[in-house]
């Protein structure tokens, strides 16, 4: 049987909770969204635990909302997008360029 001789050290509760949050977000994605993430590799790097925590502190938004904005922005509310952009000094056009397309 398996015995822990002190070589394996369990993670702290905070680290476990952060990983659980990220796991839950990944598990909530649809199959085609997961394929898109791992095929293009654009969104996979965005699920960076440290940057998510920092962005949550700066914006006051929940970590799950930060992950939602960075992976599935179309499901975030306009208010969440506005807070995210204004607190992080990101132009709205960069996050939601489709809102700024001029009709001819």
């Amino acid at each position: 049987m398996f015995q822990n001789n002190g070589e394996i050290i369990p993670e702290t509760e905070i680290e476990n909770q952060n990983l659980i949050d990220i796991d839950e977000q990944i598990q909530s994605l649809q199959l085609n969204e997961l394929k898109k993430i791992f095929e293009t590799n654009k969104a996979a790097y965005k699920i960076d635990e440290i940057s998510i925590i920092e962005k949550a502190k700066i914006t006051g938004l929940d970590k799950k909302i930060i992950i939602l904005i960075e992976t599935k922005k179309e499901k975030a509310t306009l208010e969440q997008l506005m807070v995210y952009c204004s607190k992080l000094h990101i132009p709205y056009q960069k996050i939601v360029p489709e809102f700024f397309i001029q009709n001819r």
Side-chain angles (χ1 to χ4, degrees):
M1 288 306 224
F2 174 77
Q3 290 181 331
N4 183 1
N5 297 328
E7 296 171 4
I8 300 173
I9 302 170
E11 296 179 17
T12 65
E13 287 296 318
I14 295 171
E15 291 173 336
N16 283 337
Q17 187 57 47
N18 291 336
L19 294 175
I20 290 170
D21 291 344
I22 293 170
D23 288 346
E24 287 175 357
Q25 177 61 34
I26 291 171
Q27 290 173 9
S28 71
L29 296 174
Q30 295 179 357
L31 182 59
N32 62 343
E33 293 170 326
L34 280 173
K35 284 180 183 177
K36 185 187 254 185
I37 286 172
F38 291 103
E39 286 172 1
T40 62
N41 252 350
K42 288 184 181 178
Y45 73 92
K46 291 182 182 177
I47 304 177
D48 178 20
E49 185 177 340
I50 295 170
S51 70
I52 290 171
I53 292 170
E54 286 301 313
K55 290 174 185 176
K57 286 179 186 176
I58 293 168
T59 62
L61 295 170
D62 187 70
K63 292 180 291 188
K64 290 180 183 180
I65 300 301
I66 301 295
I67 294 170
L68 180 71
I69 291 170
E70 293 187 357
T71 59
K72 298 189 295 185
K73 66 182 176 192
E74 67 278 359
K75 299 205 181 223
T77 67
L78 181 57
E79 179 183 17
Q80 292 165 340
L81 290 170
M82 290 175 68
V83 168
Y84 180 85
C85 289
S86 67
K87 297 285 184 172
L88 296 175
H89 306 290
I90 299 172
Y92 297 116
Q93 293 89 338
K94 186 174 179 183
I95 297 294
V96 284
E98 53 273 12
F99 288 164
F100 298 94
I101 297 173
Q102 294 181 354
N103 291 331
R104 295 180 187 196

